[in-house]
């Protein structure tokens, strides 16, 4: 009898120990995954806040005329890099049929961490971009109100040789190179029937959403990664461009 009880105690102990070990193992595996996801999400949120500061510093240059600004971005295991330039084209629909246009490129600054979400500074805007979609975290410095159309084109251009950096804290140093109004698009009383804005960018869907909502523009996708938006009957018009050179300082 005592032998049966001893065997039962041993079996019970083994079963309880196995359950405890399995529970600890499951919690450890899933818990580590959850903690990793939370850490990655917080890093992206911190990067987004840093890019908002970057956009503010860039605005000091193109709006206030500051000669230069520097922005520190903590990377840890993430990386900061430049990508292929995006293109912004503005065309005036002139009743005479001349239809003047200007076209400028801008080099995006992209933050990428462990996940699939990227933070992008592009032509004055900040985007939080992912394969599942994205949002406009910081709107471009355009203005559409009461018939007034103001479009500052922020033409970022990279200096130096570092196109991709990672680890530690990186400084993005930017300086003004050119700041000018575009004469054919500065009109106290607009002479154009409409203004057409073309944006060629991997984030064309976010540009489309922004221009439809803020400019009440009619937008169509005309070719891969290009959105064309028509803004009808502008009353006052100002299109400027600012060339900003930037580099990564390690």
């Amino acid at each position: 009898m005592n032998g049966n009880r001893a065997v039962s105690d041993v079996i019970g102990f083994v079963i309880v120990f196995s359950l405890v070990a399995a529970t600890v193992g499951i919690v450890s595996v899933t818990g580590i995954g959850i903690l990793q996801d939370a850490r990655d999400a917080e890093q992206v949120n911190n990067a987004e806040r840093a890019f908002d500061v970057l956009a503010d510093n860039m605005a000091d240059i193109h709006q206030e005329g500051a000669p230069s600004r520097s922005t520190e971005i903590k990377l840890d295991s993430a990386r900061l890099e430049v990508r292929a330039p995006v293109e912004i084209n503005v065309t005036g629909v002139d009743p005479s049929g001349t239809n003047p246009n200007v076209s400028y490129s801008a080099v995006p600054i992209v933050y990428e961490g462990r996940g699939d979400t990227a933070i992008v500074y592009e032509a004055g805007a900040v985007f939080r971009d992912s394969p599942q979609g994205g949002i406009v975290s910081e709107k471009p410095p355009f203005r559409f109100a009461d018939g007034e159309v103001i479009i500052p084109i922020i033409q970022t251009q990279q200096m130096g040789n570092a196109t991709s950096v990672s680890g530690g804290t990186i400084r993005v140093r930017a300086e003004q190179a050119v700041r000018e109004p575009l004469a054919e698009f500065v009109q106290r009383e607009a002479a154009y029937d409409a203004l057409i804005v073309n944006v060629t960018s991997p984030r064309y869907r976010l540009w489309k959403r922004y221009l439809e909502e803020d400019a009440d523009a009619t937008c169509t996708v005309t070719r891969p990664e290009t959105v064309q938006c028509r803004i009808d009957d502008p009353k006052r018009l100002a299109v400027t461009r600012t060339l900003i050179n930037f580099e990564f300082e390690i």
Side-chain angles (χ1 to χ4, degrees), residues 67-83:
S68 64
R69 285 290 185 269
S70 292
T71 308
E72 289 189 347
I73 300 176
K74 188 176 181 181
L75 296 181
D76 293 328
S77 58
R79 69 179 182 273
L80 196 67
E81 59 186 30
V82 298
R83 295 285 175 83

Side-chain angles (χ1 to χ4, degrees), residues 161-185:
N161 298 318
T163 59
S164 179
V165 292
S166 60
T169 299
I170 304 301
R171 181 181 292 107
V172 180
R173 186 175 69 85
E175 61 183 37
Q176 182 186 132
V178 176
R179 186 176 181 227
E180 63 181 1
L182 304 177
E184 61 268 59
F185 291 101

Side-chain angles (χ1 to χ4, degrees), residues 27-38:
V27 170
S28 297
V29 172
T30 58
I32 290 173
I34 291 171
L35 289 174
Q36 182 67 57
D37 291 344

Side-chain angles (χ1 to χ4, degrees), residues 14-168:
V14 169
I15 292 173
V16 171
F17 180 81
S18 299
L19 288 173
V20 170
T23 301
V24 170
I26 292 171
V27 170
S28 297
V29 172
T30 58
I32 290 173
I34 291 171
L35 289 174
Q36 182 67 57
D37 291 344
R39 188 183 72 174
D40 291 346
E42 185 57 28
Q43 285 181 348
V44 172
N45 290 337
N46 289 339
E48 186 175 359
R49 288 190 285 270
F51 268 59
D52 288 343
V53 174
L54 173 64
D56 289 342
N57 286 339
M58 292 292 196
D60 286 346
I61 295 175
H62 66 75
Q63 292 180 359
E64 306 299 331
S68 64
R69 285 290 185 269
S70 292
T71 308
E72 289 189 347
I73 300 176
K74 188 176 181 181
L75 296 181
D76 293 328
S77 58
R79 69 179 182 273
L80 196 67
E81 59 186 30
V82 298
R83 295 285 175 83
V86 302
E87 191 83 13
I88 298 178
N89 175 277
V90 178
T91 301
V93 180
D94 195 321
S96 68
T98 55
N99 298 343
N101 72 88
V102 294
S103 189
Y104 294 100
S105 61
V107 174
I109 302 173
V110 181
Y111 169 99
E112 282 193 342
R114 285 195 181 93
D116 56 4
T117 299
I119 309 298
V120 185
Y121 176 83
E122 179 176 293
V126 176
F127 300 111
R128 184 176 179 129
D129 194 20
S130 70
Q132 295 76 34
I135 62 170
V136 181
S137 175
E138 183 85 11
K139 293 181 180 180
F142 300 171
R143 174 182 167 86
F144 310 101
D146 302 323
E148 185 176 58
V149 178
I150 298 177
I151 299 179
I153 298 174
I154 313 305
Q155 187 188 9
T156 44
Q157 178 176 281
Q158 188 206 12
M159 304 183 294
N161 298 318
T163 59
S164 179
V165 292
S166 60

